[in-house]
Amino acid sequence: MRIILLGPPGSGKGTQAQLLVQRYDIVQLSTGEMLRAAVAAGTPVGLKAKEIMASGGLVPDDVVVGIISDRIDQPDARNGFILDGFPRTVPQAEALDDLLKHKHLKLDAVIELRVNESALLNRVETRVAQMRERGEEVRVDDTPEVLSKRLASYRSQTEPLIHYYSERRKLSTIDGMMAIDEVTRAIHRQLLALGAVEPKTHARSAAKAAPAKTGAKKTKAAKTAKKAAKSTKKAARKATKQAVKGAKKPAKRAAKKVVKKTVKKAVKKGAKKTAKKVTKKRAKR
Ligand code: AMP
């Protein structure tokens, strides 16, 4: 799955990206994070970006496009990725279209987190206060003054992307002012509706539990669920292979055992839950 998270600074893109990464086993590609790492390491890209970032401006398109293109080629991005903070301009979006086409990859969705701008300043102030309380280092561009500049650049340079992706029928807009888990659920529902993700554990348990516990006929839904479960298992097997690649034999065996056990447990739990639901429904009747 390949998606873009779009939204002004402070809209929760980073938080949502991290939650989605855990849920779908994909990687987060944040140009902001990559640039900060380059600045910290003092690389040529970092030296170029340092001042621009500190003042809230945008790093040149060719620099970020180059970083993203290289990153997409890494093996850990094969299963999918979330672009966070990229593209930020129409030329970047066009360059992304080109490079995805070149790499024979398809973009599944662009999720826009729509937020109330006046609430953003509050969010950033709270985040900075919490970080200071925890003794964490605060980003140099996380000040109200720089945020205003970042917001202005979002409005003039990034907001046109909403039109760009809406024209290409890729855009889904979600209310970013909801609670964090509600936003995550809304994104998940949207991805399900677009067919970008498959109904995993729930679907698998429904397929397993229905014929055994209720004697129900194999419905079309159950068949679809079984198919989804099969492909999930296939993906899990593939991921295990990747994870244990290069490990010594005993370590390989142990890792495989752990994955097998976890998958079994998840299937069992899901099946039990569905069976309970069905029994309850029948008792009601
Ligand atoms: P972020 O962490 O996404 O808020 O990014 C922090 C800063 O990095 C931005 O204010 C920009 O200076 C720079 N930056 C990150 N992504 C991009 C991008 N796609 N294009 C240009 N500059 C970027």
Side-chain angles (χ1 to χ4, degrees), residues 33 126 131 163:
E33 288 293 328
T126 312
M131 285 176 81
H163 179 66

PDB file of all heavy atoms in Angstrom, residues 33 126 131 163:
ATOM      1  N   GLU A  33      11.958  14.341   8.590  1.00  0.00           N
ATOM      2  CA  GLU A  33      12.843  13.517   9.429  1.00  0.00           C
ATOM      3  C   GLU A  33      14.170  13.264   8.719  1.00  0.00           C
ATOM      4  O   GLU A  33      15.237  13.349   9.321  1.00  0.00           O
ATOM      5  CB  GLU A  33      12.180  12.153   9.717  1.00  0.00           C
ATOM      6  CG  GLU A  33      11.021  12.200  10.689  1.00  0.00           C
ATOM      7  CD  GLU A  33      11.460  12.581  12.095  1.00  0.00           C
ATOM      8  OE1 GLU A  33      12.584  12.224  12.463  1.00  0.00           O
ATOM      9  OE2 GLU A  33      10.682  13.266  12.786  1.00  0.00           O
ATOM     10  N   THR A 126       1.292  23.277  22.952  1.00  0.00           N
ATOM     11  CA  THR A 126       1.157  22.163  23.916  1.00  0.00           C
ATOM     12  C   THR A 126       2.269  21.148  23.694  1.00  0.00           C
ATOM     13  O   THR A 126       2.907  20.691  24.645  1.00  0.00           O
ATOM     14  CB  THR A 126      -0.211  21.465  23.726  1.00  0.00           C
ATOM     15  OG1 THR A 126      -1.215  22.466  23.672  1.00  0.00           O
ATOM     16  CG2 THR A 126      -0.507  20.470  24.809  1.00  0.00           C
ATOM     17  N   MET A 131       7.210  18.490  25.452  1.00  0.00           N
ATOM     18  CA  MET A 131       8.574  18.036  25.144  1.00  0.00           C
ATOM     19  C   MET A 131       9.563  18.628  26.139  1.00  0.00           C
ATOM     20  O   MET A 131      10.469  17.954  26.611  1.00  0.00           O
ATOM     21  CB  MET A 131       8.953  18.435  23.712  1.00  0.00           C
ATOM     22  CG  MET A 131       8.270  17.564  22.675  1.00  0.00           C
ATOM     23  SD  MET A 131       8.614  18.108  21.011  1.00  0.00           S
ATOM     24  CE  MET A 131      10.222  17.397  20.733  1.00  0.00           C
ATOM     25  N   HIS A 163      -6.269  20.158  -4.909  1.00  0.00           N
ATOM     26  CA  HIS A 163      -6.916  20.202  -6.214  1.00  0.00           C
ATOM     27  C   HIS A 163      -6.259  19.190  -7.166  1.00  0.00           C
ATOM     28  O   HIS A 163      -6.941  18.464  -7.893  1.00  0.00           O
ATOM     29  CB  HIS A 163      -6.813  21.636  -6.750  1.00  0.00           C
ATOM     30  CG  HIS A 163      -7.416  21.807  -8.106  1.00  0.00           C
ATOM     31  ND1 HIS A 163      -8.758  21.668  -8.337  1.00  0.00           N
ATOM     32  CD2 HIS A 163      -6.850  22.061  -9.314  1.00  0.00           C
ATOM     33  CE1 HIS A 163      -8.991  21.845  -9.617  1.00  0.00           C
ATOM     34  NE2 HIS A 163      -7.855  22.072 -10.233  1.00  0.00           N
TER      35      HIS A 163
END
